[in-house]
Amino acid sequence: MVPTMDYAKARETMVEQQVRPWDVLDVRVLEVLATLPREDFVSEAHRALAYSDLELPIGHGEKMMKPVLEGRALQALEIDPGDRVLEIGSGSGFLAACLGRLAREVVGLERHADLAEAARARLQAQGIANVRIETADALAWPGDGQFDAICVSGAVASLPPRFLQWLRPGGRLFAVQGVSPVMDAVRVRADVNGARTESLFETDLAYLAGAAPAPKFDF
């Protein structure tokens, strides 16, 4: 008989041994990561790896971010309970669910219709009603007003100006930008004098579709 995995214990271990040691100290963020069942947002084949320090495949060549990167992104956004948040690249729906627990309203964009539908079902199963997942490509999306915080869940070679246009004055945006394998995780603040970018740490992340560097040709 195969023993049943103790997901609650695995979740606690993830927070205490992966996320917290990586300087994620925001109490609200840690509480969300310690209580939201991440295993319910991955495929059955990968449930046992839900709390591992790994990127997990979710289909269409897309991957779920490592827990440590999710924690750092959530902390960097400094989300208040009254905030309206946009997530670009919702994938499995897990980070959107975390954002939903922290904010008043969340809009998530996912370009693959089947991933978007699966994310909606997972959010509904968790009783998270303040998150709306739209099937849309962020690079062509017409916009839906402005947001207090924006989480870009895939890397960009450089930040598209349209993303910054969706930020309210005083808003924060988290993104990973640059050229793989050494990219820069940044927080951008929409200040009165323009966008102010703060470098947070180095990492590596798969690009959003259409946001990779233009290929270089050597002659």
Side-chain angles (χ1 to χ4, degrees):
M1 183 176 177
V2 179
T4 303
M5 182 168 178
D6 186 345
Y7 288 112
K9 181 63 177 175
R11 198 175 307 125
E12 179 186 349
T13 300
M14 175 197 75
V15 169
E16 295 303 322
Q17 296 185 11
Q18 295 178 49
V19 180
R20 193 191 292 270
W22 218 43
D23 293 331
V24 179
L25 304 175
D26 185 298
V27 174
R28 294 180 67 228
V29 170
L30 293 172
E31 175 67 18
V32 167
L33 294 175
T35 55
L36 195 62
R38 198 172 192 267
E39 71 273 11
D40 289 346
F41 288 83
V42 302
S43 67
E44 191 64 37
H46 296 101
R47 279 175 70 90
L49 298 173
Y51 296 100
S52 301
D53 185 28
L54 298 169
E55 293 182 335
L56 297 177
I58 57 174
H60 298 282
E62 311 283 355
K63 292 183 179 179
M64 196 173 179
M65 286 195 291
K66 292 181 179 183
V68 291
L69 188 50
E70 291 168 337
R72 286 297 294 268
L74 291 168
Q75 178 169 268
L77 290 169
E78 299 175 349
I79 296 167
D80 289 327
D83 282 351
R84 184 169 192 251
V85 180
L86 174 68
E87 186 196 13
I88 296 172
S90 292
S92 72
F94 178 72
L95 202 54
C98 293
L99 292 166
R101 291 276 182 91
L102 294 167
R104 172 179 58 85
E105 177 191 355
V106 178
V107 177
L109 306 182
E110 172 50 54
R111 63 193 295 268
H112 298 291
D114 57 336
L115 294 184
E117 186 57 38
R120 292 185 197 107
R122 289 165 177 152
L123 289 161
Q124 185 176 16
Q126 294 298 323
I128 300 173
N130 63 334
V131 178
R132 181 177 90 248
I133 303 293
E134 292 194 10
T135 304
D137 182 343
L139 298 179
W141 190 56
D144 181 17
Q146 289 189 306
F147 298 85
D148 301 290
I150 298 176
C151 184
V152 185
S153 296
V156 294
S158 59
L159 203 58
R162 65 194 343 254
F163 292 5
L164 295 175
Q165 292 170 5
W166 298 331
L167 266 187
R168 282 188 180 134
R172 293 84 54 206
L173 178 147
F174 173 86
V176 174
Q177 63 182 14
V179 179
S180 182
V182 182
M183 300 175 172
D184 196 20
V186 299
R187 174 171 50 211
V188 183
R189 295 185 187 273
D191 288 348
V192 290
N193 296 321
R196 179 164 56 88
T197 302
E198 175 188 359
S199 178
L200 301 175
F201 54 92
E202 289 184 351
T203 188
D204 192 20
L205 188 64
Y207 289 104
L208 284 177
K216 291 183 178 180
F217 299 98
D218 295 322
F219 296 97

